[in-house]
Amino acid sequence: MKAIIPAATVSRLPLYLRCLGEIPPSQTTCSSEQLAEGAGVNPAQVRKDLSFIDPPGVRGVGYDVAELRALLRRELGLTKQYRVAIAGAGNLGSALTMYPGFNEAGFEVVALFDTDVTKIGTTINSLTVQPFKNIGAIVASLSVSIGVIATPLEAAQEVADRFVDAGIRSILNFAPAVLKRPAGIEVRRVDLSTELQILAYHQTQVGG
Amino acid sequence: MKAIIPAATVSRLPLYLRCLGEIPPSQTTCSSEQLAEGAGVNPAQVRKDLSFIDPPGVRGVGYDVAELRALLRRELGLTKQYRVAIAGAGNLGSALTMYPGFNEAGFEVVALFDTDVTKIGTTINSLTVQPFKNIGAIVASLSVSIGVIATPLEAAQEVADRFVDAGIRSILNFAPAVLKRPAGIEVRRVDLSTELQILAYHQTQVGG
DNA sequence: TAGATTGTTAATCGATTAACAATC
DNA sequence: TAGATTGTTAATCGATTAACAATC
């Protein structure tokens, strides 16, 4: 069992990884200050974060770019490919299916579900929309490990329950719902309307 | 000037608001425990959060649903309508333009920009895609106050700069970039790939 | 050696929560 | 009154950051 990395640190590691990817090959070493700049955090934060993963840093020199990159990928579990299923083939689900960033980051969308009979059987990004009731068999046969909920609010809890039944333990939820789920199931919520509401609050603050 | 509400509290207020919206009209009062359940937090957290906005709570009774709802909407600045401009008319930008949750929450997408000449002039959700270079005039004439970046990474900083030039002070950024910007400009970042990477990390933890 | 930069400690800061008096 | 539930304090917890010895 690996050391437990604080959640706040885990959420910053991908930023460091991205920052490393933007460093030109001519530069073989980088400092915590450079990573901090790229991630928008404090240099001490970077060093503290990296201290959880036994980093390849050399005092007076910095971090070896290639080594740190490989280490971060290993720690984040990105050395293997993850297969993703998306529930909800509406505008958002379709856009996510075609989102290039997922593939770039090593994730592959392999299944797309909907309950709407007018959508089932249609093809989006060379993926045929499947009836949601087949989720169990499809998730098992395609070894899906991450489920994405891109359905309306009303369907979200039901979809989450079926995902869990099908053996999925990681869920990315775009519906504005706080999902009930058993222990051990990780849910990340992306709530687009809430993000705008938070921005709206700040407009009231700065004299807008 | 209003009291400053901690950022963590601000990000939970929309959850309480949503929870209140789901309470049937027959129930005129609700407890911190009920709100906590709906938002997935501790009841003490709810009371503490609400204490920043002088809540209409009555000891032994609870909060008046209608009053608390109105207060939260007022505090979050949701009593007025906000106009939103989206940069990037690709799959994600198109999906966001059609996202029903924005309108439900009181936000109106009034402009959609792209630099791609094959997209300019086409119509998405009855909105004509505009050339990005016209952003200044359009933002001013339509009183846009929130900008959304749904472009590829390469264009994100440039779009942010133009948004700021055009007078936008609140930005929702879907590109995986940490944007440089002047003080007083609020940016919320939604990084879809990073969310998956965080989920991937947890799969390495629980024995996946 | 002098300069640079890490790794780590300890201090600071802020957020969460338990506890309970106030009070309906 | 007894029971319920808020508002608030104080304790706890965890995250951030300044500082600096270690060391290349």
Side-chain angles (χ1 to χ4, degrees), chain A residues 32 42-45 47-48:
Chain A
S32 58
N42 187 295
Q45 182 77 268
R47 297 199 295 277
K48 180 73 170 177

mmCIF file of all heavy atoms in Angstrom, chain A residues 32 42-45 47-48, chain C residues 6-12, chain D residues 17-21:
data_model
loop_
_atom_site.group_PDB
_atom_site.id
_atom_site.type_symbol
_atom_site.label_atom_id
_atom_site.label_comp_id
_atom_site.label_asym_id
_atom_site.label_seq_id
_atom_site.Cartn_x
_atom_site.Cartn_y
_atom_site.Cartn_z
ATOM 1 N N SER A 32 11.480 24.248 -8.350
ATOM 2 C CA SER A 32 10.151 24.344 -7.745
ATOM 3 C C SER A 32 9.532 25.695 -8.071
ATOM 4 O O SER A 32 8.314 25.803 -8.180
ATOM 5 C CB SER A 32 10.241 24.152 -6.226
ATOM 6 O OG SER A 32 11.104 25.109 -5.648
ATOM 7 N N ASN A 42 2.526 28.479 -4.628
ATOM 8 C CA ASN A 42 3.748 28.878 -3.940
ATOM 9 C C ASN A 42 4.844 27.817 -4.135
ATOM 10 O O ASN A 42 4.549 26.624 -4.091
ATOM 11 C CB ASN A 42 3.370 29.002 -2.462
ATOM 12 C CG ASN A 42 4.484 29.564 -1.632
ATOM 13 O OD1 ASN A 42 5.533 28.931 -1.506
ATOM 14 N ND2 ASN A 42 4.264 30.727 -1.080
ATOM 15 N N PRO A 43 6.117 28.230 -4.313
ATOM 16 C CA PRO A 43 7.193 27.245 -4.495
ATOM 17 C C PRO A 43 7.317 26.270 -3.324
ATOM 18 O O PRO A 43 7.605 25.089 -3.534
ATOM 19 C CB PRO A 43 8.451 28.108 -4.605
ATOM 20 C CG PRO A 43 7.984 29.445 -5.036
ATOM 21 C CD PRO A 43 6.602 29.617 -4.474
ATOM 22 N N ALA A 44 7.066 26.749 -2.125
ATOM 23 C CA ALA A 44 7.124 25.858 -0.962
ATOM 24 C C ALA A 44 6.035 24.797 -1.066
ATOM 25 O O ALA A 44 6.209 23.649 -0.661
ATOM 26 C CB ALA A 44 6.971 26.664 0.329
ATOM 27 N N GLN A 45 4.902 25.207 -1.622
ATOM 28 C CA GLN A 45 3.803 24.273 -1.837
ATOM 29 C C GLN A 45 4.249 23.150 -2.758
ATOM 30 O O GLN A 45 3.975 21.968 -2.513
ATOM 31 C CB GLN A 45 2.633 25.038 -2.474
ATOM 32 C CG GLN A 45 1.394 24.244 -2.721
ATOM 33 C CD GLN A 45 0.633 24.026 -1.443
ATOM 34 O OE1 GLN A 45 0.850 23.009 -0.778
ATOM 35 N NE2 GLN A 45 -0.212 24.950 -1.074
ATOM 36 N N ARG A 47 7.301 22.029 -3.358
ATOM 37 C CA ARG A 47 8.265 21.127 -2.708
ATOM 38 C C ARG A 47 7.578 20.241 -1.694
ATOM 39 O O ARG A 47 7.860 19.041 -1.580
ATOM 40 C CB ARG A 47 9.379 21.952 -2.060
ATOM 41 C CG ARG A 47 10.182 22.752 -3.059
ATOM 42 C CD ARG A 47 11.526 23.186 -2.500
ATOM 43 N NE ARG A 47 11.434 24.111 -1.384
ATOM 44 C CZ ARG A 47 11.263 25.426 -1.492
ATOM 45 N NH1 ARG A 47 11.167 25.981 -2.694
ATOM 46 N NH2 ARG A 47 11.201 26.191 -0.438
ATOM 47 N N LYS A 48 6.634 20.836 -0.958
ATOM 48 C CA LYS A 48 5.883 20.049 0.023
ATOM 49 C C LYS A 48 5.071 18.953 -0.674
ATOM 50 O O LYS A 48 5.086 17.790 -0.260
ATOM 51 C CB LYS A 48 4.959 20.977 0.806
ATOM 52 C CG LYS A 48 4.125 20.292 1.861
ATOM 53 C CD LYS A 48 4.986 19.903 3.030
ATOM 54 C CE LYS A 48 4.144 19.427 4.199
ATOM 55 N NZ LYS A 48 5.002 18.986 5.314
ATOM 56 P P DT C 6 14.303 23.634 -6.179
ATOM 57 O OP1 DT C 6 13.753 23.280 -7.487
ATOM 58 O OP2 DT C 6 13.725 24.724 -5.401
ATOM 59 O "O5'" DT C 6 14.363 22.322 -5.289
ATOM 60 C "C5'" DT C 6 15.183 21.253 -5.713
ATOM 61 C "C4'" DT C 6 15.737 20.498 -4.512
ATOM 62 O "O4'" DT C 6 16.416 21.445 -3.645
ATOM 63 C "C3'" DT C 6 14.671 19.803 -3.670
ATOM 64 O "O3'" DT C 6 15.007 18.435 -3.539
ATOM 65 C "C2'" DT C 6 14.676 20.553 -2.346
ATOM 66 C "C1'" DT C 6 16.037 21.232 -2.312
ATOM 67 N N1 DT C 6 16.056 22.546 -1.633
ATOM 68 C C2 DT C 6 16.699 22.650 -0.422
ATOM 69 O O2 DT C 6 17.239 21.713 0.129
ATOM 70 N N3 DT C 6 16.684 23.920 0.126
ATOM 71 C C4 DT C 6 16.110 25.060 -0.400
ATOM 72 O O4 DT C 6 16.182 26.133 0.179
ATOM 73 C C5 DT C 6 15.444 24.875 -1.668
ATOM 74 C C7 DT C 6 14.770 26.056 -2.314
ATOM 75 C C6 DT C 6 15.447 23.640 -2.222
ATOM 76 P P DG C 7 13.879 17.376 -3.144
ATOM 77 O OP1 DG C 7 14.361 16.047 -3.577
ATOM 78 O OP2 DG C 7 12.568 17.870 -3.573
ATOM 79 O "O5'" DG C 7 13.934 17.439 -1.555
ATOM 80 C "C5'" DG C 7 15.064 16.910 -0.897
ATOM 81 C "C4'" DG C 7 14.892 17.070 0.603
ATOM 82 O "O4'" DG C 7 14.924 18.484 0.932
ATOM 83 C "C3'" DG C 7 13.570 16.542 1.158
ATOM 84 O "O3'" DG C 7 13.915 15.837 2.348
ATOM 85 C "C2'" DG C 7 12.735 17.801 1.424
ATOM 86 C "C1'" DG C 7 13.804 18.831 1.739
ATOM 87 N N9 DG C 7 13.479 20.216 1.379
ATOM 88 C C8 DG C 7 12.839 20.648 0.254
ATOM 89 N N7 DG C 7 12.718 21.953 0.181
ATOM 90 C C5 DG C 7 13.332 22.415 1.335
ATOM 91 C C6 DG C 7 13.516 23.741 1.804
ATOM 92 O O6 DG C 7 13.179 24.787 1.283
ATOM 93 N N1 DG C 7 14.203 23.754 3.033
ATOM 94 C C2 DG C 7 14.640 22.630 3.702
ATOM 95 N N2 DG C 7 15.267 22.843 4.849
ATOM 96 N N3 DG C 7 14.461 21.383 3.266
ATOM 97 C C4 DG C 7 13.810 21.357 2.081
ATOM 98 P P DT C 8 12.798 15.209 3.305
ATOM 99 O OP1 DT C 8 13.407 14.068 4.010
ATOM 100 O OP2 DT C 8 11.540 15.051 2.557
ATOM 101 O "O5'" DT C 8 12.624 16.385 4.369
ATOM 102 C "C5'" DT C 8 13.775 16.807 5.082
ATOM 103 C "C4'" DT C 8 13.338 17.758 6.177
ATOM 104 O "O4'" DT C 8 13.122 19.080 5.626
ATOM 105 C "C3'" DT C 8 12.018 17.396 6.855
ATOM 106 O "O3'" DT C 8 12.155 17.705 8.222
ATOM 107 C "C2'" DT C 8 11.014 18.308 6.205
ATOM 108 C "C1'" DT C 8 11.865 19.559 6.047
ATOM 109 N N1 DT C 8 11.363 20.525 5.037
ATOM 110 C C2 DT C 8 11.640 21.869 5.236
ATOM 111 O O2 DT C 8 12.260 22.278 6.183
ATOM 112 N N3 DT C 8 11.142 22.699 4.262
ATOM 113 C C4 DT C 8 10.404 22.340 3.146
ATOM 114 O O4 DT C 8 10.008 23.182 2.352
ATOM 115 C C5 DT C 8 10.159 20.918 3.003
ATOM 116 C C7 DT C 8 9.369 20.412 1.835
ATOM 117 C C6 DT C 8 10.645 20.097 3.946
ATOM 118 P P DT C 9 11.276 16.977 9.308
ATOM 119 O OP1 DT C 9 11.981 15.755 9.721
ATOM 120 O OP2 DT C 9 9.873 16.916 8.856
ATOM 121 O "O5'" DT C 9 11.404 18.064 10.462
ATOM 122 C "C5'" DT C 9 12.582 18.862 10.529
ATOM 123 C "C4'" DT C 9 12.191 20.262 10.951
ATOM 124 O "O4'" DT C 9 11.721 21.017 9.805
ATOM 125 C "C3'" DT C 9 11.058 20.307 11.978
ATOM 126 O "O3'" DT C 9 11.471 21.107 13.065
ATOM 127 C "C2'" DT C 9 9.881 20.918 11.220
ATOM 128 C "C1'" DT C 9 10.590 21.768 10.180
ATOM 129 N N1 DT C 9 9.822 22.033 8.938
ATOM 130 C C2 DT C 9 9.822 23.309 8.420
ATOM 131 O O2 DT C 9 10.403 24.239 8.945
ATOM 132 N N3 DT C 9 9.096 23.452 7.258
ATOM 133 C C4 DT C 9 8.396 22.473 6.582
ATOM 134 O O4 DT C 9 7.798 22.742 5.545
ATOM 135 C C5 DT C 9 8.450 21.164 7.176
ATOM 136 C C7 DT C 9 7.708 20.042 6.506
ATOM 137 C C6 DT C 9 9.144 21.004 8.306
ATOM 138 P P DA C 10 10.667 21.043 14.441
ATOM 139 O OP1 DA C 10 11.625 20.736 15.516
ATOM 140 O OP2 DA C 10 9.435 20.220 14.250
ATOM 141 O "O5'" DA C 10 10.232 22.571 14.575
ATOM 142 C "C5'" DA C 10 10.946 23.573 13.848
ATOM 143 C "C4'" DA C 10 10.044 24.769 13.707
ATOM 144 O "O4'" DA C 10 9.339 24.698 12.430
ATOM 145 C "C3'" DA C 10 8.956 24.878 14.773
ATOM 146 O "O3'" DA C 10 8.820 26.256 15.100
ATOM 147 C "C2'" DA C 10 7.712 24.320 14.080
ATOM 148 C "C1'" DA C 10 7.940 24.801 12.649
ATOM 149 N N9 DA C 10 7.281 24.034 11.609
ATOM 150 C C8 DA C 10 6.968 22.700 11.609
ATOM 151 N N7 DA C 10 6.372 22.294 10.510
ATOM 152 C C5 DA C 10 6.299 23.442 9.733
ATOM 153 C C6 DA C 10 5.769 23.679 8.441
ATOM 154 N N6 DA C 10 5.203 22.729 7.690
ATOM 155 N N1 DA C 10 5.846 24.939 7.964
ATOM 156 C C2 DA C 10 6.415 25.885 8.724
ATOM 157 N N3 DA C 10 6.936 25.777 9.941
ATOM 158 C C4 DA C 10 6.842 24.513 10.391
ATOM 159 P P DA C 11 7.744 26.777 16.127
ATOM 160 O OP1 DA C 11 8.458 27.532 17.152
ATOM 161 O OP2 DA C 11 6.822 25.686 16.494
ATOM 162 O "O5'" DA C 11 6.988 27.820 15.205
ATOM 163 C "C5'" DA C 11 7.765 28.701 14.387
ATOM 164 C "C4'" DA C 11 6.835 29.484 13.493
ATOM 165 O "O4'" DA C 11 6.305 28.604 12.470
ATOM 166 C "C3'" DA C 11 5.630 30.076 14.208
ATOM 167 O "O3'" DA C 11 5.394 31.385 13.704
ATOM 168 C "C2'" DA C 11 4.499 29.108 13.885
ATOM 169 C "C1'" DA C 11 4.891 28.640 12.485
ATOM 170 N N9 DA C 11 4.414 27.309 12.141
ATOM 171 C C8 DA C 11 4.420 26.188 12.926
ATOM 172 N N7 DA C 11 3.930 25.120 12.331
ATOM 173 C C5 DA C 11 3.582 25.576 11.071
ATOM 174 C C6 DA C 11 3.014 24.926 9.959
ATOM 175 N N6 DA C 11 2.684 23.645 9.944
ATOM 176 N N1 DA C 11 2.798 25.671 8.852
ATOM 177 C C2 DA C 11 3.147 26.980 8.870
ATOM 178 N N3 DA C 11 3.691 27.695 9.854
ATOM 179 C C4 DA C 11 3.886 26.920 10.936
ATOM 180 P P DT C 12 4.225 32.260 14.309
ATOM 181 O OP1 DT C 12 4.713 33.637 14.408
ATOM 182 O OP2 DT C 12 3.628 31.561 15.481
ATOM 183 O "O5'" DT C 12 3.171 32.206 13.128
ATOM 184 C "C5'" DT C 12 3.639 32.447 11.784
ATOM 185 C "C4'" DT C 12 2.531 32.092 10.823
ATOM 186 O "O4'" DT C 12 2.323 30.664 10.801
ATOM 187 C "C3'" DT C 12 1.183 32.721 11.181
ATOM 188 O "O3'" DT C 12 0.775 33.479 10.058
ATOM 189 C "C2'" DT C 12 0.268 31.524 11.439
ATOM 190 C "C1'" DT C 12 0.942 30.428 10.632
ATOM 191 N N1 DT C 12 0.698 29.032 11.076
ATOM 192 C C2 DT C 12 0.254 28.114 10.137
ATOM 193 O O2 DT C 12 0.044 28.405 8.974
ATOM 194 N N3 DT C 12 0.078 26.846 10.618
ATOM 195 C C4 DT C 12 0.299 26.410 11.914
ATOM 196 O O4 DT C 12 0.103 25.238 12.218
ATOM 197 C C5 DT C 12 0.768 27.410 12.836
ATOM 198 C C7 DT C 12 1.039 27.034 14.253
ATOM 199 C C6 DT C 12 0.948 28.674 12.381
ATOM 200 P P DT D 17 0.187 29.468 0.321
ATOM 201 O OP1 DT D 17 -0.430 30.757 -0.013
ATOM 202 O OP2 DT D 17 0.630 28.532 -0.731
ATOM 203 O "O5'" DT D 17 1.414 29.762 1.282
ATOM 204 C "C5'" DT D 17 1.171 30.478 2.477
ATOM 205 C "C4'" DT D 17 2.437 30.563 3.281
ATOM 206 O "O4'" DT D 17 2.685 29.297 3.952
ATOM 207 C "C3'" DT D 17 3.712 30.865 2.478
ATOM 208 O "O3'" DT D 17 4.420 31.844 3.197
ATOM 209 C "C2'" DT D 17 4.445 29.526 2.466
ATOM 210 C "C1'" DT D 17 4.063 29.007 3.842
ATOM 211 N N1 DT D 17 4.203 27.547 4.063
ATOM 212 C C2 DT D 17 4.648 27.109 5.293
ATOM 213 O O2 DT D 17 4.939 27.876 6.196
ATOM 214 N N3 DT D 17 4.735 25.749 5.420
ATOM 215 C C4 DT D 17 4.433 24.800 4.463
ATOM 216 O O4 DT D 17 4.555 23.608 4.705
ATOM 217 C C5 DT D 17 3.970 25.325 3.206
ATOM 218 C C7 DT D 17 3.617 24.392 2.097
ATOM 219 C C6 DT D 17 3.870 26.661 3.060
ATOM 220 P P DA D 18 5.372 32.879 2.489
ATOM 221 O OP1 DA D 18 4.547 34.053 2.157
ATOM 222 O OP2 DA D 18 6.151 32.211 1.433
ATOM 223 O "O5'" DA D 18 6.340 33.277 3.681
ATOM 224 C "C5'" DA D 18 5.819 33.298 5.006
ATOM 225 C "C4'" DA D 18 6.899 32.930 5.996
ATOM 226 O "O4'" DA D 18 6.999 31.488 6.121
ATOM 227 C "C3'" DA D 18 8.292 33.423 5.622
ATOM 228 O "O3'" DA D 18 8.912 33.866 6.809
ATOM 229 C "C2'" DA D 18 8.970 32.167 5.034
ATOM 230 C "C1'" DA D 18 8.320 31.055 5.845
ATOM 231 N N9 DA D 18 8.197 29.773 5.170
ATOM 232 C C8 DA D 18 7.804 29.540 3.886
ATOM 233 N N7 DA D 18 7.751 28.265 3.566
ATOM 234 C C5 DA D 18 8.127 27.612 4.728
ATOM 235 C C6 DA D 18 8.268 26.247 5.052
ATOM 236 N N6 DA D 18 8.028 25.267 4.185
ATOM 237 N N1 DA D 18 8.662 25.937 6.304
ATOM 238 C C2 DA D 18 8.895 26.929 7.172
ATOM 239 N N3 DA D 18 8.789 28.258 6.989
ATOM 240 C C4 DA D 18 8.405 28.524 5.730
ATOM 241 P P DA D 19 10.363 34.562 6.807
ATOM 242 O OP1 DA D 19 10.332 35.605 7.849
ATOM 243 O OP2 DA D 19 10.741 34.899 5.423
ATOM 244 O "O5'" DA D 19 11.284 33.366 7.306
ATOM 245 C "C5'" DA D 19 10.857 32.586 8.408
ATOM 246 C "C4'" DA D 19 11.843 31.463 8.618
ATOM 247 O "O4'" DA D 19 11.472 30.332 7.787
ATOM 248 C "C3'" DA D 19 13.288 31.819 8.233
ATOM 249 O "O3'" DA D 19 14.146 31.353 9.254
ATOM 250 C "C2'" DA D 19 13.496 31.091 6.915
ATOM 251 C "C1'" DA D 19 12.616 29.860 7.113
ATOM 252 N N9 DA D 19 12.172 29.219 5.892
ATOM 253 C C8 DA D 19 11.840 29.797 4.699
ATOM 254 N N7 DA D 19 11.466 28.937 3.767
ATOM 255 C C5 DA D 19 11.564 27.712 4.394
ATOM 256 C C6 DA D 19 11.315 26.392 3.949
ATOM 257 N N6 DA D 19 10.890 26.107 2.724
ATOM 258 N N1 DA D 19 11.512 25.390 4.844
ATOM 259 C C2 DA D 19 11.935 25.698 6.076
ATOM 260 N N3 DA D 19 12.208 26.892 6.603
ATOM 261 C C4 DA D 19 11.993 27.862 5.701
ATOM 262 P P DC D 20 15.638 31.887 9.388
ATOM 263 O OP1 DC D 20 15.787 32.358 10.775
ATOM 264 O OP2 DC D 20 15.970 32.763 8.240
ATOM 265 O "O5'" DC D 20 16.460 30.539 9.238
ATOM 266 C "C5'" DC D 20 16.004 29.351 9.874
ATOM 267 C "C4'" DC D 20 16.654 28.150 9.229
ATOM 268 O "O4'" DC D 20 15.867 27.722 8.087
ATOM 269 C "C3'" DC D 20 18.060 28.436 8.676
ATOM 270 O "O3'" DC D 20 18.893 27.323 8.913
ATOM 271 C "C2'" DC D 20 17.816 28.571 7.187
ATOM 272 C "C1'" DC D 20 16.756 27.492 7.025
ATOM 273 N N1 DC D 20 16.032 27.520 5.735
ATOM 274 C C2 DC D 20 15.485 26.326 5.242
ATOM 275 O O2 DC D 20 15.612 25.297 5.910
ATOM 276 N N3 DC D 20 14.852 26.331 4.048
ATOM 277 C C4 DC D 20 14.751 27.475 3.360
ATOM 278 N N4 DC D 20 14.108 27.431 2.186
ATOM 279 C C5 DC D 20 15.294 28.703 3.846
ATOM 280 C C6 DC D 20 15.914 28.681 5.025
ATOM 281 P P DA D 21 20.348 27.513 9.559
ATOM 282 O OP1 DA D 21 20.166 28.173 10.855
ATOM 283 O OP2 DA D 21 21.222 28.086 8.535
ATOM 284 O "O5'" DA D 21 20.772 26.003 9.816
ATOM 285 C "C5'" DA D 21 19.829 25.093 10.401
ATOM 286 C "C4'" DA D 21 19.809 23.787 9.639
ATOM 287 O "O4'" DA D 21 19.129 23.969 8.368
ATOM 288 C "C3'" DA D 21 21.196 23.245 9.295
ATOM 289 O "O3'" DA D 21 21.148 21.822 9.360
ATOM 290 C "C2'" DA D 21 21.413 23.745 7.876
ATOM 291 C "C1'" DA D 21 20.006 23.627 7.305
ATOM 292 N N9 DA D 21 19.706 24.540 6.207
ATOM 293 C C8 DA D 21 20.034 25.869 6.104
ATOM 294 N N7 DA D 21 19.608 26.432 4.993
ATOM 295 C C5 DA D 21 18.971 25.406 4.319
ATOM 296 C C6 DA D 21 18.314 25.361 3.082
ATOM 297 N N6 DA D 21 18.179 26.412 2.281
ATOM 298 N N1 DA D 21 17.795 24.183 2.702
ATOM 299 C C2 DA D 21 17.931 23.121 3.516
ATOM 300 N N3 DA D 21 18.516 23.047 4.700
ATOM 301 C C4 DA D 21 19.031 24.240 5.053
#
